[in-house]
Amino acid sequence: MTESVVAAAPMVLADRVCKNFGALQVLKGISLEVQRGKVLTLVGPSGSGKSTFLRCINHLEQVNAGRLYVDGDLVGYREKNGKLYEMHERDAALQRRDIGMVFQHFNLFPHRTALENVIEAPIQVRGIRKAEAIARAEELLERVGLSAKRNAYPAQLSGGQQQRVAIARALAMDPKLMLFDEPTSALDPELVGEVLAVMRELADSGMTMLVVTHEMGFAREVADELVFMDAGVVVESGPPRELLANPQHERTQAFLSRLL
Ligand code: ADP
Ligand code: MG
């Protein structure tokens, strides 16, 4: 591909992506795009394959058919003379380190402070000098409103604070894409807003984001596109306000009415 084509490529391009676990078909031909600097929210019932799709983008799962590109690069395979070969784990790790992921359960290292959690990957994976990693981590903790908690351990933080540390930790790797998998689903209701506020600030700063969430207010106000998925297929997609106000498919209508 020429430079100009690569520059114009969407950050994520899924072309009829299929994934099965044995006989269980989980993704049945997912096609979607996330443009650079945009926010796409992915919604759908439990078990519809949302997490599996995010894990494919990050190459924690290998797709079985179809193609998935991140930043113009084929994920999980390399192509030679028109044939696909599975990528070596080392190359997959290189692709993965440019993608930030935030999970429902924050997965912080319990025996490390907030600051130590944030500096871990930049030092271990990127080989950044400790002083530099600390300076950057302090900036990021400030950005998520947690400067005062830099020396606190996860157990000393609320769920919302832990999730904000997890976001700072992902950002410390300077990702070009951020994936969020139900980042507020494990939080007490009063803590949801502080995490969504950090995500909104990130979106406003131009980060490309793919967010699985049930927070329709966030989808309506922050996302550029809403994709509704059910049973491994994209049922419908469009601008969030339009889709939420006027869902076309019965399955979307049923899902949305259950959320309200
Ligand atoms: P969602 O995130 O939309 O709730 P998931 O992607 O987690 O859905 O799961 C979709 C389906 O795939 C579910 O039926 C789930 O049980 C199945 N699944 C997910 N991961 C695995 C796995 N590693 N092995 C077998 N089945 C799996
Ligand atoms: Mg899930």
Side-chain angles (χ1 to χ4, degrees), residues 106-125 130 133-134 137-138 140-141 146 149-157 161-173:
F106 334 116
N107 305 338
L108 296 176
F109 301 116
H111 302 298
R112 304 225 166 115
T113 65
L115 187 90
E116 287 165 352
N117 266 279
V118 178
I119 65 175
E120 170 79 14
I123 291 174
Q124 298 301 329
V125 182
K130 191 167 180 188
I134 289 175
E138 283 170 342
L140 289 167
L141 287 174
L146 288 174
K149 299 289 184 187
R150 52 171 277 165
N151 295 323
Y153 288 89
Q156 299 169 317
L157 300 172
Q161 290 169 334
Q162 289 184 58
Q163 192 58 299
R164 287 187 281 145
V165 173
I167 293 171
R169 181 178 60 173
L171 293 176
M173 289 292 281

Side-chain angles (χ1 to χ4, degrees), residues 89-206:
E89 178 51 32
R90 199 185 48 221
D91 295 326
L94 279 180
Q95 281 188 338
R96 197 178 295 134
R97 73 178 199 179
D98 291 332
I99 303 174
M101 186 144 182
V102 174
F103 304 90
Q104 182 174 347
H105 299 286
F106 334 116
N107 305 338
L108 296 176
F109 301 116
H111 302 298
R112 304 225 166 115
T113 65
L115 187 90
E116 287 165 352
N117 266 279
V118 178
I119 65 175
E120 170 79 14
I123 291 174
Q124 298 301 329
V125 182
R126 287 229 195 267
I128 288 175
R129 292 205 343 271
K130 191 167 180 188
E132 199 181 318
I134 289 175
R136 173 86 175 116
E138 283 170 342
E139 271 173 38
L140 289 167
L141 287 174
E142 163 121 48
R143 185 170 176 188
V144 301
L146 288 174
S147 292
K149 299 289 184 187
R150 52 171 277 165
N151 295 323
Y153 288 89
Q156 299 169 317
L157 300 172
S158 72
Q161 290 169 334
Q162 289 184 58
Q163 192 58 299
R164 287 187 281 145
V165 173
I167 293 171
R169 181 178 60 173
L171 293 176
M173 289 292 281
D174 281 326
K176 54 191 176 189
L177 168 68
M178 284 285 285
L179 306 175
F180 291 87
D181 195 355
E182 303 203 31
T184 60
S185 294
L187 299 177
D188 292 335
E190 73 273 22
L191 303 178
V192 168
E194 66 192 57
V195 172
L196 294 180
V198 166
M199 291 168 61
R200 176 193 289 255
E201 187 273 329
L202 196 55
D204 289 344
S205 77

Side-chain angles (χ1 to χ4, degrees), residues 33 60 65 153 183 188 200 233 260:
E33 294 182 8
L60 296 170
Y153 288 89
D188 292 335
R200 176 193 289 255
V233 300
L260 301 175

Side-chain angles (χ1 to χ4, degrees), residues 19-22 24-27 42-55 61 181-182 212 214 229 231-232:
K19 174 68 188 174
N20 37 270
F21 294 108
L24 181 68
Q25 267 194 294
V26 174
L27 302 178
L42 187 56
V43 306
S46 180
S48 55
K50 306 179 299 294
S51 295
T52 301
F53 182 63
L54 289 194
R55 290 170 58 79
E61 301 288 354
D181 195 355
E182 303 203 31
V212 175
H214 297 284
M229 209 173 132

